[in-house]
Amino acid sequence: MAAEGAGLLAMIETLRVDEEFRLTPLHLLRILDEAVGIPWTESRVLLEFFDPELRPLVPEDEVDRRAEALLSPYVTREG
């Protein structure tokens, strides 16, 4: 999804409705690490924008803007 340009909130909602996946902050960090290659040490800053249920605490455009800045080097990387 990230490679196709989906924002972080769209990815979270897709994971939220997946009945076979339990969405938690740690599971989100694991997915970002395994699927996109973002180390936990970098992606954990995104958790500042969410409550424990991964509902945004700041405006959604701010979440997606910060997430895009973090994700872009990983999803545009060749190889």
Side-chain angles (χ1 to χ4, degrees):
M1 289 181 67
E4 296 170 357
L8 181 63
L9 294 174
M11 290 186 267
I12 288 172
E13 285 309 309
T14 298
L15 293 170
R16 189 182 310 282
V17 298
D18 183 341
E19 294 179 8
E20 296 179 16
F21 182 79
R22 182 167 179 253
L23 181 62
T24 67
L26 288 178
H27 287 161
L28 177 63
L29 296 182
R30 181 179 57 84
I31 292 293
L32 291 173
D33 182 27
E34 292 176 5
V36 184
I38 302 174
W40 291 42
T41 54
E42 291 181 36
S43 62
R44 72 178 183 213
V45 300
L46 295 175
L47 298 181
E48 297 173 9
F49 300 112
F50 297 96
D51 69 11
E53 298 298 318
L54 292 172
R55 306 271 183 219
L57 296 171
V58 299
E60 292 182 3
D61 62 331
E62 175 70 13
V63 173
D64 276 336
R65 185 172 52 252
R66 290 287 303 267
E68 181 180 352
L70 181 69
L71 291 169
S72 65
Y74 294 92
V75 297
T76 59
R77 183 170 48 189
E78 301 267 335

